[in-house]
Amino acid sequence: MSHPPPVSCIPNTAKMSKAKKVIEEAKEINNPEIDLVDKGISSLDEIPGLFSLENITRLTLSHNKLQVVPAGLANLMNLEILNLTNNHIEELPVSLSSLPKLRILNVSLNRLYALPRGFGAFPVLEILDCTYNNLKETTLPGNFFMMESLRALYLGDNDFEYLPAEIGNLKNLQILSMRENDLIEVPRELGQLTRLRELHLQGNRLVVLPPEIGFLELASNKSVLRLEGNFWVPPIEDQLKLGPSHVLDYLRSETYRVLYSRHMSAKPPPPPQTLDKSKKASRMR
């Protein structure tokens, strides 16, 4: 009877030496873009010299085994793009939000249950991708919706039941993805996002939408409005079969305003949860 080979806890030294080689080469040629994808990295302490490369503008650490993001990453003052997707990260340092030039931050496919206090202080952040984590409205920092430079916010595959009214502060937002959450309702303030061109609300527990959403410019060929996989009242469901533009027309009608007002006054119980999130990769320990 053959036995399976023993599982080793020793880091893959071949991959680690490749990571060190990337850093050494970057130092030699002053390369501003560091690619450390799938190098078996479980700690940035294993990569000496990384935090001293102050000229870095792009750092890609996706598909590794990182659990901790050191505060020292904020030493990379010229960083514009930081990709941490598909790691095992459970928390982020607030120091990241002090990076003066960071425009794109991708922390999707991790194990985040909360974002640190003060996290919304990014001065020029344009794209934030937190897809496929365990975030909800109660675990966002108080200043999260003060990132007025944001153009795209991806919060799909998390655990939101409500979207805070402060979403209306993100005046430059063009893309908002809240797909596959537990959303029971969305606020009227969504209607203040006049630059919004993509709104993803599919796969939630929504029954009605605020009439204000009907006035957003989401009906053109270049716009995206995704609403399927919810528990819509029959009139919205009927219009959705005809297409998203028909839904928007209906939301602007006086008939719908009356229906929406009655629904909100009645406060019926929300639809049941339909997604089993216990087996999400973001919940694995």
Side-chain angles (χ1 to χ4, degrees):
M1 181 178 172
S2 62
H3 294 281
V7 176
S8 172
C9 295
I10 301 169
N12 187 326
T13 50
K15 282 191 172 182
M16 283 313 306
S17 61
K18 284 181 183 176
K20 289 176 182 175
K21 189 177 179 184
V22 169
I23 299 302
E24 286 166 7
E25 288 177 353
K27 282 181 180 176
E28 283 178 24
I29 63 172
N30 212 23
N31 186 0
E33 299 189 0
I34 305 293
D35 186 344
L36 293 169
V37 175
D38 192 22
K39 295 286 190 288
I41 304 166
S42 56
S43 170
L44 293 185
D45 294 337
E46 299 165 4
I47 314 174
L50 175 61
F51 297 159
S52 64
L53 298 177
E54 293 183 9
N55 66 310
I56 296 178
T57 59
R58 180 198 292 258
L59 176 58
T60 305
L61 286 159
S62 53
H63 305 280
N64 282 293
K65 299 172 183 175
L66 290 172
Q67 294 183 17
V68 176
V69 179
L73 204 58
N75 293 342
L76 306 177
M77 298 295 282
N78 287 299
L79 206 58
E80 296 177 20
I81 300 171
L82 177 58
N83 189 340
L84 295 166
T85 191
N86 199 356
N87 277 280
H88 304 160
I89 299 165
E90 296 184 11
E91 60 181 84
L92 294 171
V94 69
S95 63
L96 281 186
S97 59
S98 66
L99 286 166
K101 298 181 181 179
L102 195 67
R103 295 183 296 105
I104 300 172
L105 175 60
N106 189 339
V107 291
S108 62
L109 268 169
N110 276 288
R111 301 175 184 178
L112 296 169
Y113 279 85
L115 295 176
R117 190 174 178 180
F119 184 79
F122 292 96
V124 296
L125 196 66
E126 296 178 17
I127 299 172
L128 176 59
D129 192 342
C130 296
T131 306
Y132 221 84
N133 279 284
N134 306 299
L135 302 171
K136 51 188 173 183
E137 60 276 7
T138 55
T139 60
L140 296 180
N143 66 344
F144 185 80
F145 295 102
M146 293 182 185
M147 296 182 280
E148 292 186 13
S149 54
L150 269 190
R151 292 188 295 109
L153 177 58
Y154 299 94
L155 293 172
D157 287 289
N158 278 280
D159 299 322
F160 288 88
E161 287 194 352
Y162 295 92
L163 186 58
E166 288 82 3
I167 186 74
N169 295 335
L170 304 181
K171 303 298 184 190
N172 289 301
L173 209 59
Q174 297 171 27
I175 300 172
L176 175 61
S177 176
M178 297 296 301
R179 64 174 175 77
E180 310 296 342
N181 273 279
D182 286 314
L183 283 176
I184 293 166
E185 64 180 74
V186 293
R188 290 176 175 267
E189 286 77 7
L190 263 185
Q192 297 172 12
L193 304 180
T194 55
R195 296 189 178 184
L196 208 61
R197 295 297 176 267
E198 282 191 33
L199 179 57
H200 299 258
L201 293 174
Q202 67 269 37
N204 281 284
R205 298 157 65 192
L206 296 167
V207 177
V208 294
L209 286 171
E212 288 80 359
I213 288 179
F215 294 94
L216 294 173
E217 293 183 29
L218 293 169
S220 75
N221 293 334
K222 295 180 180 179
S223 299
V224 177
L225 177 59
R226 297 286 300 276
L227 299 171
E228 68 273 16
N230 281 284
F231 295 80
W232 302 119
V233 290
I236 291 183
E237 192 65 55
D238 292 343
Q239 297 300 321
L240 189 54
K241 290 172 185 172
L242 301 173
S245 63
H246 292 266
V247 176
L248 295 170
D249 288 342
Y250 177 60
L251 295 184
R252 293 194 296 268
S253 70
E254 187 58 34
T255 305
Y256 179 70
R257 285 181 177 276
V258 173
L259 184 154
Y260 179 76
S261 178
R262 285 177 178 167
H263 178 89
M264 298 305 285
S265 297
K267 290 187 169 59
Q273 285 184 307
T274 55
L275 297 173
D276 178 10
K277 299 192 175 186
S278 62
K279 296 179 176 65
K280 281 173 64 176
S282 53
R283 297 261 166 96
M284 303 296 281
R285 293 286 176 177

